[in-house]
Amino acid sequence: MDVKKAYVIFLGLGNVGRSLLRQILDTRDVLASRTGLRLIPIALADVSGLLLNPDGLPEETLRAALQATTDGNLLDALPGIRPLSEVGNALRAGAVLVDVTASPQTEPTLRAALDAGCSVVLANKIPLSGPWAEAREFFEHPHLRYEVTVGAGLPVIATLRYLLDTGDRVTAIEGCLSGTLGYLCAELERGVPYSVAVSQARSLGYTEPDPREDLSGRDVARKALILARTAGWPLEMADLSVEPLYPESLAGVSTEEFMAATPTLDEEYASRVAEAQAGGRTLRYVARVGPDGGEVGLVAVPQDSPLGALRGPANYIAFHTARYAEIPLVISGPGAGPEVTAAGVLGDVINLSATT
Amino acid sequence: MDVKKAYVIFLGLGNVGRSLLRQILDTRDVLASRTGLRLIPIALADVSGLLLNPDGLPEETLRAALQATTDGNLLDALPGIRPLSEVGNALRAGAVLVDVTASPQTEPTLRAALDAGCSVVLANKIPLSGPWAEAREFFEHPHLRYEVTVGAGLPVIATLRYLLDTGDRVTAIEGCLSGTLGYLCAELERGVPYSVAVSQARSLGYTEPDPREDLSGRDVARKALILARTAGWPLEMADLSVEPLYPESLAGVSTEEFMAATPTLDEEYASRVAEAQAGGRTLRYVARVGPDGGEVGLVAVPQDSPLGALRGPANYIAFHTARYAEIPLVISGPGAGPEVTAAGVLGDVINLSATT
């Protein structure tokens, strides 16, 4: 098989970006023999600066960048670093830009990349979950992919695209889209108080430093919105009703005040769990979207249902369609983690490189 | 977007072939706008003959063929029919040949198609489940796909390819691969005697006319072998141990004699079900393969496990890999039916046409 070169530009060298770079370096032979592709990193960018070589960054530079960022130093400790503003020089037709940040600042670069004829892969949900008028271009562009924004490496978006490409009609999508909240529900289910479960999840690094980022349901709502828009429903965030896992009164306080106040919520969540269990049910944080909107919140599901049987941090996405009407098509498994997320980004890069 | 033409050759016009032809006719606009492809059927072949027009068969001919075969008449009732032996004239570089038969006779045509530069899509498991020395070419050919041979329209093979392409290492694959045997297990579970469940499944058309075709586990074993070989394990059928759902003594008798003898098995299966239930378990017909071989047979699984929570006819495929080590990546849903199977074939056709 002939080997086709594909040039890759990294925006972001956090956990996912580094795992991706490592996977590209470590799976070169597999990739070439299975897909006929050779991926050549030409630019690495993070907030501190840019490494750029249009012919391909040498392997020792890439390894040094991995080492520098793993050690917590910044990319700008490396020789040859340029200002981030020069990232435009890396953009060229046929290259693939991967946005593995969680930043609201990358949108201009993404648009410039598409204009320059690059393909784009997003792990970043922000550009896809703003107002439809701004996000629409990204959803409709034939050379943009964003598999890992929902379910990390699980083939969720690919499956939805396949259903739509083959003429199926999606009627609803539902599931558990947060490993963090899955973990929390599992802990509540086995009798751990809310305050302890939240505090544990935070120390294990499952939540953001301010756990309300997760408990608010905002991240799940973004994923639900991305699913809806992919299904062809041009919804806005306001079309989703979202139940946060804390009261409005704790929305404005500091992180420390919030953590100190969590024991006051133990009784309420314990009684919701007990009520569910008395009816043979268990609590899951469920997202559901349809053509007209959706809901995100705690639902008491039967213990012997597929959602009830879900193991803690696993994600679960069910597609209800014209052809999958009685029993949905379901994808499930771990929906977080740098290795599986990087693999999902790599899958998008392969897919775009093979078809463009 | 420019529209790219792709010529399609049909081997087989049974339920799946007709559904596929109908989907191609009915989803032309969706397909063109979403994928930039226009699929043009140039040949329809079944045992009775061949319709061929290298520029594309006219829509009225295609509709007439659908009508003729739906009515149970043969394709040879139509004007313009040619001998099946002329199918070689349809083969040309860039066309996609779809084998939607279940026939052991198509292999020479498949090889001729690949030699002529066609892409090939198989719904037919036979060419993939013979001796490795013969099947190997099909697994290794870059322009051959066979998504629907396992789980019908569920994205099972695509997911396995994605895992391997991105450098993951698959350690085991397990699941329930037969809707028919899933139905049977569900019936047994709710106390229906074996003989009644088998007879019902047969009258509902869930089994072949001789239900032993399904009960033997042979079809599940073929699927397990296809999964294993896709994972990179060049196993033979003899590397799988297969438990049929009837005793050896009933293997050689006529279908009528077999059906008449099924009540003699009621007690055995009822007691296996009762034994499982006493331990909080339920019976599922499970396939499991790894690098060195596999097993296909009845397993008592916990009622509150994902396999235990599986609804009757649904399929379930779990990939255990280096990256999905603790919790597997799972695809589940209905794994049979002409519409979803045809959609899976269509997905393969789209995929091959987009990348070749």
Side-chain angles (χ1 to χ4, degrees):
Chain A
M1 211 192 301
D2 289 345
V3 172
K4 181 175 166 185
K5 291 181 188 176
Y7 297 97
V8 184
I9 300 158
F10 284 68
L11 290 191
L13 269 186
N15 286 331
V16 173
R18 288 198 307 276
S19 291
L20 176 62
L21 183 51
R22 216 173 291 116
Q23 285 179 14
I24 288 176
L25 290 171
D26 295 348
T27 66
R28 271 181 299 203
D29 296 345
V30 171
L31 199 71
S33 74
R34 289 191 56 94
T35 70
L37 288 174
R38 190 151 77 90
L39 301 183
I40 301 174
I42 58 169
L44 305 180
D46 74 4
V47 283
S48 70
L50 170 74
L51 282 173
L52 171 64
N53 183 330
D55 299 322
L57 291 161
E59 177 154 355
E60 65 263 30
T61 306
L62 298 172
R63 299 273 178 201
L66 281 175
Q67 197 53 46
T69 50
T70 306
D71 290 350
N73 299 318
L74 294 171
L75 208 52
D76 66 7
L78 294 171
I81 201 82
R82 305 170 184 213
L84 181 55
S85 56
E86 287 182 25
V87 68
N89 297 336
L91 307 178
R92 68 190 208 211
V96 184
L97 180 140
V98 299
D99 179 351
V100 284
T101 73
S103 163
Q105 316 279 326
T106 62
E107 279 201 38
T109 306
L110 302 178
R111 290 184 204 279
L114 293 171
D115 288 347
C118 292
S119 297
V120 167
V121 178
L122 302 177
N124 185 0
K125 290 186 276 289
I126 308 291
L128 298 170
S129 50
W132 175 240
E134 286 165 33
R136 179 173 186 164
E137 175 188 356
F138 297 130
F139 283 94
E140 294 181 350
H141 201 290
H143 301 148
L144 188 141
R145 295 287 184 279
Y146 48 89
E147 180 57 79
V148 303
T149 57
V150 183
L154 304 176
V156 175
I157 305 292
T159 298
L160 180 49
R161 290 173 62 99
Y162 148 69
L163 292 171
L164 295 164
D165 286 349
T166 57
D168 205 349
R169 192 171 49 79
V170 180
T171 51
I173 306 171
E174 68 175 341
C176 293
L177 307 178
S178 165
T180 307
L181 300 183
Y183 169 85
L184 187 71
C185 287
E187 291 299 289
L188 293 175
E189 183 178 359
R190 63 188 197 90
V192 175
Y194 172 91
S195 58
V196 176
V198 169
S199 163
Q200 270 173 0
R202 190 182 181 220
S203 4
L204 289 166
Y206 293 176
T207 72
E208 298 295 315
D210 183 341
R212 283 171 299 182
E213 279 297 307
D214 300 279
L215 298 169
S216 66
R218 263 194 300 272
D219 196 55
V220 173
R222 282 193 199 108
K223 294 175 185 178
L225 192 63
I226 289 171
L227 286 173
R229 289 172 168 183
T230 304
W233 310 321
L235 301 183
E236 299 291 353
M237 196 54 96
D239 296 318
L240 303 179
S241 73
V242 181
E243 177 195 6
L245 293 183
Y246 55 84
E248 184 60 32
S249 60
L250 291 180
V253 304
S254 73
T255 306
E256 290 65 32
E257 286 169 319
F258 174 74
M259 291 308 293
T262 52
T264 64
L265 304 175
D266 288 350
E267 206 177 301
E268 179 196 338
Y269 284 98
S271 79
R272 286 181 74 171
V273 168
E275 195 184 331
Q277 288 179 341
R281 292 175 177 259
T282 186
L283 296 180
R284 293 288 180 266
Y285 198 78
V286 177
R288 188 183 163 88
V289 286
D292 303 316
E295 306 89 43
V296 173
L298 273 187
V299 175
V301 303
Q303 279 165 7
D304 61 356
S305 69
L307 278 186
L310 201 61
R311 286 168 65 182
N315 283 19
Y316 178 101
I317 298 96
F319 296 105
H320 298 265
T321 76
R323 293 185 190 135
Y324 292 97
E326 273 184 58
I327 303 179
L329 190 167
V330 173
I331 312 283
S332 72
E339 284 300 315
V340 294
T341 306
V345 173
L346 184 54
D348 277 349
V349 171
I350 293 169
N351 188 266
L352 285 165
S353 303
T355 55
T356 54
Chain B
M1 209 191 305
D2 289 344
V3 171
K4 181 175 167 185
K5 291 181 188 176
Y7 297 96
V8 184
I9 301 159
F10 283 68
L11 290 191
L13 270 186
N15 286 330
V16 174
R18 289 198 307 273
S19 291
L20 176 63
L21 182 52
R22 217 174 289 116
Q23 286 179 13
I24 287 177
L25 291 171
D26 295 348
T27 65
R28 270 180 299 203
D29 297 345
V30 172
L31 198 71
S33 74
R34 288 190 57 92
T35 69
L37 287 174
R38 191 152 75 90
L39 301 183
I40 302 174
I42 58 169
L44 305 179
D46 74 4
V47 282
S48 70
L50 171 74
L51 282 172
L52 171 64
N53 184 331
D55 299 321
L57 290 161
E59 179 157 351
E60 65 264 29
T61 306
L62 299 172
R63 299 272 179 203
L66 281 175
Q67 198 55 45
T69 49
T70 307
D71 290 350
N73 298 318
L74 294 170
L75 208 54
D76 67 6
L78 295 170
I81 200 81
R82 303 169 185 214
L84 179 55
S85 56
E86 287 182 25
V87 69
N89 297 336
L91 307 178
R92 67 191 207 209
V96 184
L97 179 140
V98 299
D99 179 351
V100 284
T101 71
S103 161
Q105 316 279 326
T106 62
E107 280 201 39
T109 306
L110 303 178
R111 291 185 202 277
L114 292 171
D115 288 345
C118 292
S119 297
V120 167
V121 177
L122 302 178
N124 185 0
K125 290 187 275 292
I126 307 291
L128 298 170
S129 47
W132 175 241
E134 286 165 33
R136 179 173 187 163
E137 174 188 357
F138 298 129
F139 283 93
E140 294 182 350
H141 201 288
H143 300 147
L144 188 142
R145 295 288 183 278
Y146 48 90
E147 179 60 79
V148 303
T149 56
V150 183
L154 304 175
V156 175
I157 304 293
T159 298
L160 180 50
R161 289 173 63 98
Y162 148 69
L163 292 171
L164 295 165
D165 286 349
T166 57
D168 204 350
R169 193 173 47 81
V170 180
T171 51
I173 306 170
E174 69 174 341
C176 292
L177 307 178
S178 164
T180 306
L181 300 185
Y183 169 86
L184 186 71
C185 287
E187 292 298 289
L188 293 176
E189 183 178 359
R190 63 187 197 88
V192 176
Y194 173 90
S195 59
V196 176
V198 169
S199 160
Q200 270 174 359
R202 189 184 183 217
S203 3
L204 289 165
Y206 292 177
T207 71
E208 298 294 315
D210 182 342
R212 283 170 300 182
E213 279 297 307
D214 300 277
L215 298 170
S216 67
R218 263 194 300 271
D219 195 54
V220 172
R222 282 193 199 107
K223 294 175 185 177
L225 191 64
I226 290 171
L227 286 171
R229 289 171 168 186
T230 304
W233 309 320
L235 302 183
E236 300 290 351
M237 195 54 96
D239 296 317
L240 304 178
S241 73
V242 181
E243 177 195 7
L245 294 182
Y246 55 84
E248 184 60 32
S249 60
L250 290 180
V253 304
S254 73
T255 306
E256 290 65 34
E257 285 167 321
F258 173 74
M259 291 307 293
T262 53
T264 63
L265 304 175
D266 288 350
E267 206 176 300
E268 179 196 337
Y269 284 98
S271 80
R272 287 181 73 168
V273 168
E275 194 184 333
Q277 288 179 340
R281 293 175 175 256
T282 185
L283 296 179
R284 293 288 180 264
Y285 199 79
V286 177
R288 186 180 166 89
V289 285
D292 302 316
E295 307 86 44
V296 172
L298 272 186
V299 176
V301 303
Q303 279 164 7
D304 60 357
S305 68
L307 278 186
L310 201 62
R311 287 170 62 185
N315 283 21
Y316 178 102
I317 298 96
F319 296 104
H320 299 265
T321 76
R323 293 186 189 133
Y324 292 96
E326 271 184 57
I327 303 180
L329 190 168
V330 173
I331 313 282
S332 71
E339 285 300 314
V340 295
T341 306
V345 174
L346 183 54
D348 276 349
V349 171
I350 292 169
N351 188 267
L352 285 166
S353 304
T355 54
T356 53

